[in-house]
Amino acid sequence: MMMKHRFPFVLFLTGTLFVSATELAVDRYGQYTGEEWPGKVTSDDQLRADAAKEWPQIRDAKFDPAKFDRFGGRLDAGKFEATGHFRLQKINGRHWLITPEGHRYFLIGCDAVGYREGGYSTPLKNPDGSRRSGFAELPDVKLVPDGLPGGKKVNFLAANLAKKYGPAYYEKSKEVNRKRLISWGFNSTAKWGWGETFDLPYVEDWTFRTVKLLPRRRIDVYDPGFAAAAEKEVAALVARRKDDPMLIAYASENENGWSYQDVKELTAAAPTVASKQALVDFLIRRHGEAKAAAQFRLSGGRKAMLENRKIINLNQKDISDFITESSRYYHRIVRELFRKYDPDHLWFGASHCSGQSAEWIYAAAEFTDAVMLNEYNLFAQWTSSLRPQLKKIDKPFFITEFSFVCDQRGFRYHHSVNTVRDQQARGLGYRHYTEQLATDPLCIGFGYFIFFDQPVMRRSLPTGENFNFGLVDVTDRPYEEMIAEVKRSNSRLEAVHAGKIKPFRLKNPDKILFSRTQQKLLADFLPSTCSPCIVQDNSNAAEYFGGCTQRLKIDERRLPDNADPRQEYSLGTAYAGDNSRFGSVKADCYFWKNHRGKELNRYYALEGSADGRHFSPLPLRFELVRRAEFDHYVMRNAEPIPAEIRYLRLVLKAPVPNQSWSNQIAGIEIER
């Protein structure tokens, strides 16, 4: 009898390995019900016992007055000008923050320390308005008023804190978290406080709320009303904060800098969009009206260009220079507003990420006091690419978000370069990342993202995050194995940055990277037959992949700069068994629309072998299912698998190495 073995992604489709957002379930404490682990909370008494055990360990936590000022500045590192507010100073070739009392300060922070942060709650309803299943019990709003914030979300963290600390849980949890941070070696609450402070230095972050926006929350920086709208918001923000000595700097916006794609989309925007008008005028100034219109394949001049509603692939140099000009225009305006209302405090601008262009970031650096960067990568590949230019202009940087996660307890895999084996590995990732970057003379500190885990049921729907980012879980329990490693580095970072001690370095960082999900997905393949360059991808499932939430791809971050476009990357090798043979092969393939017209066999391959050592290509056929951002094909063997084939190998290729994500695969079925 022939048996059908489905691997690896059919397990997802049958629901035995993966569950969708609507199928997740949590207990009364917000813990995932589909998995057990040592110490999982089952009673309120456990929470109260945790509080009684931890308090004596942190009760006396404070900055040692013999070593630190009240801000966490070092008393033994020299005395510098005290201005009553935080400022920057370059000392012996290295950039430092200086506290209001005039002491050297290296920022070691954690983001979103307060449990009321919106990302710690999960919606009560599905996007269609129906009530969500999966909640075993909701908090009693009479006992826990912020357990159901706004009546639209549930915050299990708040409910657990109420059970743990009693009616005064808000005040008590703030006190506990402040003492935890100090005892763990942190000296700041970094970003994402949203107005809540903990008597520790912090960066006040702000998102403009009354300005006109482009898609993906990009600001329409050329809108004539932008400066006036921004000024009202800056004035109100500064009035609340300028007299707080714990304020390190203002930040405004997050990950909203323009990319090349944003500019391309501007070419198709409505004629009334101010930034489109600015783009058209930029092109006319540079090339003249006729040549500018030619880029749009038009002959009607400025009016026709403005009325164009199709995306145009402009000259790359033009896009680059327009982004630079726009960034300067925007940052000059906002810089002047903060200087007008609070000339004494620093302004760091927005936190930047790899999804935006480097030109935007470098132009921003001309106007901000420091550059803020968000990066989720053990190897710091993106920040390393930016640092030469930042060094050239001598601009300090602050890592405002970084994190390491495990895909367990209902939490999802995040990225191939920050998902690790266990909680100790999370701490080791923290050590390796921070200490390596702290050696850079430009680095002024870190903000770990985030204090608590995100909710298992997702922070938003349908595709919101639910990751094991936290130092502390939903039941207010610190991850002790991780914290032990974090404390080791936090006690060293200032000395590492000063050049007094060598940084901690993992001998082989790759060894701590590990995904339980991917291990299960590949369980039916022979061990060690999957290329380390193959990773899973769960991003943009609804938008680009027809709802397919788990796929395999080649990770361009794992490819060398000079990757051979002919190289093959094995998904895995299957063995038919001693008394069986292979039948049909089927898989769902997702192929980026910009590569349409290319031969699919250049991107996907099926290979057979009689001995497991010598493989030859087997013919494939592809059937189109739907057109989308990533076209969906079903891949099948074009001819019967020869009886002598005992081993089958599935392969992905990357003819364009820096676009290795362009071809992905899921739903693999191999019949024996």
Side-chain angles (χ1 to χ4, degrees):
M1 182 178 70
M2 295 179 67
M3 295 180 60
K4 180 174 286 189
H5 293 257
R6 301 168 177 261
F7 61 102
F9 277 98
V10 145
L11 292 174
F12 160 72
L13 296 174
T14 60
T16 60
L17 194 67
F18 295 103
V19 287
S20 72
T22 56
E23 293 170 329
L24 285 166
V26 293
D27 61 20
R28 66 191 296 260
Y29 300 102
Q31 301 170 117
Y32 180 49
T33 58
E35 185 179 340
E36 297 299 320
W37 56 86
K40 188 176 184 180
V41 172
T42 58
S43 73
D44 295 359
D45 287 341
Q46 282 178 270
L47 297 176
R48 290 188 282 268
D50 287 342
K53 179 181 178 181
E54 183 182 18
W55 181 246
Q57 301 170 8
I58 63 172
R59 178 176 48 207
D60 300 325
K62 61 182 180 181
F63 294 130
D64 184 348
K67 297 180 180 179
F68 302 97
D69 66 18
R70 70 189 183 100
F71 303 95
R74 299 284 307 197
L75 300 180
D76 60 355
K79 178 68 174 171
F80 305 91
E81 181 185 2
T83 61
H85 53 265
F86 277 90
R87 62 184 183 84
L88 286 162
Q89 184 170 335
K90 192 172 183 180
I91 304 167
N92 297 325
R94 300 174 187 271
H95 289 270
W96 298 88
L97 285 159
I98 303 297
T99 69
E101 295 181 353
H103 299 112
R104 201 173 72 184
Y105 177 91
F106 189 78
L107 196 163
I108 309 170
C110 182
D111 299 324
V113 177
Y115 71 83
R116 288 175 170 173
E117 149 67 36
Y120 294 145
S121 299
T122 189
L124 287 168
K125 293 184 178 181
N126 291 307
D128 63 5
S130 62
R131 298 287 292 187
R132 296 178 72 190
S133 59
F135 300 121
E137 178 184 318
L138 296 177
D140 185 339
V141 71
K142 294 180 180 179
L143 299 176
V144 192
D146 45 11
L148 297 171
K152 297 181 179 180
K153 288 189 171 187
V154 55
N155 187 329
F156 285 106
L157 179 56
N160 292 333
L161 293 171
K163 295 166 186 172
K164 185 172 184 176
Y165 298 120
Y169 64 92
Y170 173 74
E171 294 79 7
K172 186 61 178 180
S173 66
K174 283 193 70 171
E175 181 184 20
V176 166
N177 290 345
R178 182 180 188 277
K179 291 182 178 293
R180 281 171 169 168
L181 287 172
I182 294 174
S183 68
W184 297 342
F186 291 99
N187 58 21
S188 169
T189 51
K191 281 191 65 181
W192 302 127
W194 297 117
E196 185 175 26
T197 60
F198 289 76
D199 196 30
L200 287 169
Y202 65 97
V203 173
E204 178 73 2
D205 44 275
W206 184 252
T207 298
F208 289 115
R209 299 170 183 178
T210 60
V211 302
K212 287 188 178 180
L213 299 177
L214 303 170
R216 293 186 294 280
R217 267 211 57 83
R218 305 319 193 229
I219 293 175
D220 188 356
V221 302
Y222 291 100
D223 175 64
F226 167 70
E231 181 165 11
K232 290 181 180 179
E233 296 191 42
V234 169
L237 172 65
V238 166
R240 292 195 301 271
R241 290 300 183 203
K242 68 178 181 179
D243 295 325
D244 187 352
M246 289 293 173
L247 174 64
I248 297 173
Y250 298 102
S252 47
E253 296 300 315
N254 181 66
E255 298 185 349
N256 73 330
W258 288 4
S259 68
Y260 276 46
Q261 184 62 29
D262 293 314
V263 176
K264 289 180 180 179
E265 290 178 3
L266 273 181
T267 63
T272 55
V273 173
S275 289
K276 179 175 185 176
Q277 296 170 9
L279 171 61
V280 168
D281 291 340
F282 168 85
L283 294 171
I284 291 173
R285 288 196 308 272
R286 171 165 287 192
H287 300 292
E289 193 164 7
K291 289 185 178 179
Q295 285 202 52
F296 280 70
R297 303 181 187 90
L298 298 169
S299 58
R302 183 177 189 273
K303 185 175 183 294
M305 294 165 71
L306 289 175
E307 292 176 349
N308 172 72
R309 301 305 300 271
K310 296 180 180 180
I311 289 179
I312 302 298
N313 291 316
L314 299 174
N315 176 279
Q316 298 291 293
K317 181 67 163 55
D318 287 344
I319 294 177
S320 173
D321 291 347
F322 180 67
I323 288 175
T324 296
E325 182 176 294
S326 301
S327 181
R328 286 174 176 155
Y329 178 81
Y330 165 78
H331 286 95
R332 182 182 291 108
I333 291 173
V334 183
R335 166 77 274 183
E336 290 176 356
L337 290 176
F338 276 101
R339 280 182 172 166
K340 175 180 178 180
Y341 289 97
D342 188 355
D344 294 329
H345 279 101
L346 301 168
W347 178 58
F348 289 167
S351 291
H352 305 292
C353 68
S354 59
Q356 57 196 79
S357 76
E359 293 93 336
W360 182 275
I361 298 169
Y362 297 144
E366 299 175 25
F367 301 92
T368 59
D369 294 300
V371 173
M372 301 195 300
L373 305 173
N374 295 345
E375 178 179 53
Y376 294 81
N377 189 318
L378 177 62
F379 306 103
Q381 290 163 302
W382 178 63
T383 54
S384 295
S385 71
L386 297 176
R387 284 154 62 191
Q389 179 63 20
L390 296 179
K391 181 179 180 181
K392 183 177 179 180
I393 62 177
D394 198 30
K395 180 63 64 173
F397 67 84
F398 166 31
I399 303 296
T400 40
E401 291 183 21
F402 71 104
S403 201
F404 300 95
V405 308
C406 294
D407 56 344
Q408 58 182 352
R409 302 189 185 188
F411 294 114
R412 288 184 294 157
Y413 163 91
H414 191 227
H415 288 309
S416 68
V417 286
N418 82 328
T419 303
V420 297
R421 290 184 174 275
D422 52 34
Q423 294 300 322
Q424 183 185 25
R426 292 182 67 207
L428 291 171
Y430 179 101
R431 294 191 67 190
H432 180 86
Y433 183 84
T434 58
E435 295 202 29
Q436 293 299 306
L437 280 178
T439 62
D440 193 315
L442 300 177
C443 182
I444 59 172
F446 301 92
Y448 180 80
F449 190 86
I450 46 183
F451 192 80
F452 293 107
D453 281 331
Q454 293 175 325
V456 169
M457 298 284 282
R458 301 181 187 265
R459 69 178 187 179
S460 61
L461 294 178
T463 59
E465 296 178 354
N466 69 329
F467 297 117
N468 170 220
F469 286 140
L471 301 173
V472 181
D473 72 13
V474 69
T475 65
D476 195 47
R477 284 181 164 180
Y479 289 105
E480 298 294 350
E481 301 94 334
M482 178 187 186
I483 298 299
E485 299 295 341
V486 167
K487 289 170 66 174
R488 289 187 177 96
S489 276
N490 284 354
S491 67
R492 292 165 42 87
L493 285 172
E494 192 271 345
V496 170
H497 184 59
K500 294 180 179 178
I501 59 176
K502 292 182 178 181
F504 171 82
R505 178 189 293 272
L506 290 167
K507 291 183 178 178
N508 189 345
D510 271 304
K511 286 189 175 180
I512 71 167
L513 297 173
F514 178 79
S515 166
R516 287 165 178 76
T517 308
Q518 184 165 327
Q519 183 189 44
K520 292 176 182 178
L521 292 173
L522 300 173
D524 287 322
F525 286 116
L526 295 173
S528 303
T529 59
C530 180
S531 164
C533 295
I534 296 292
V535 299
Q536 67 196 78
D537 183 13
N538 55 21
S539 63
N540 300 310
E543 301 92 327
Y544 296 162
F545 298 94
C548 180
T549 59
Q550 297 291 338
R551 308 167 302 277
L552 291 175
K553 68 174 184 178
I554 302 167
D555 191 344
E556 69 276 9
R557 291 168 297 192
R558 290 173 170 259
L559 299 181
D561 292 336
N562 58 347
D564 187 341
R566 297 168 298 179
Q567 178 68 38
E568 296 185 348
Y569 302 92
S570 171
L571 291 161
T573 299
Y575 175 53
D578 294 334
N579 300 306
S580 182
R581 55 168 291 189
F582 289 114
S584 64
V585 176
K586 176 178 177 253
D588 293 301
C589 297
Y590 296 91
F591 195 63
W592 189 35
K593 67 178 184 180
N594 285 21
H595 287 186
R596 286 174 187 163
K598 303 289 180 64
E599 176 58 49
L600 289 169
N601 285 296
R602 295 180 58 203
Y603 294 82
Y604 303 90
L606 176 67
E607 299 172 342
S609 171
D611 57 11
R613 296 189 301 274
H614 303 92
F615 285 84
S616 300
L618 298 173
L620 290 169
R621 60 187 175 91
F622 297 87
E623 303 166 5
L624 178 64
V625 177
R626 60 189 284 269
R627 293 286 192 190
E629 185 73 19
F630 280 75
D631 294 338
H632 178 192
Y633 291 86
V634 171
M635 179 184 79
R636 305 177 189 273
N637 51 304
E639 299 175 357
I641 307 297
E644 67 271 16
I645 296 297
R646 314 303 299 155
Y647 298 86
L648 282 181
R649 183 165 67 191
L650 282 169
V651 167
L652 289 182
K653 306 174 188 179
V656 185
N658 65 354
Q659 295 176 354
S660 64
W661 41 264
S662 64
N663 51 308
Q664 304 194 19
I665 193 167
I668 300 169
E669 300 179 36
I670 299 180
E671 184 181 59
R672 290 192 180 100

